[in-house]
Amino acid sequence: FATVDDIQNYVIAEREARAEEERPMMITSLKVDENTKMGIVNDIKQELRKAAALHINYSSRKRVER
């Protein structure tokens, strides 16, 4: 597990570990469950912006009717 403050350094390290031609294709994927507050998602998005990680994929589970 990591904190929001760890995101920028992690993204930069991952980018540096990639070949130069792969870097523009890097996509950050956020998979957030229904119990997560939007405030934390916004905090993460802000840190991703600071790291210039602007390609973001959002995923969720399809809602199951009971």
Side-chain angles (χ1 to χ4, degrees):
F1 290 98
T3 66
V4 173
D5 294 331
D6 297 330
I7 293 171
Q8 191 172 359
N9 289 332
Y10 178 80
V11 169
I12 291 168
E14 285 296 312
R15 185 181 300 126
E16 293 297 318
R18 304 283 183 255
E20 186 71 34
E21 62 274 3
E22 292 177 351
R23 292 177 187 174
M25 296 180 284
M26 247 181 84
I27 299 172
T28 303
S29 182
L30 297 180
K31 186 172 184 180
V32 182
D33 71 18
E34 66 272 7
N35 298 318
T36 304
K37 303 291 183 194
M38 282 306 296
I40 189 73
V41 174
N42 285 331
D43 292 346
I44 292 168
K45 286 172 47 179
Q46 289 299 322
E47 289 301 309
L48 290 171
R49 283 187 191 121
K50 290 177 189 176
L54 305 178
H55 294 103
I56 304 172
N57 175 53
Y58 300 91
S59 61
S60 65
R61 294 183 296 182
K62 184 176 180 181
R63 186 178 187 135
V64 177
E65 297 296 327
R66 297 182 187 185

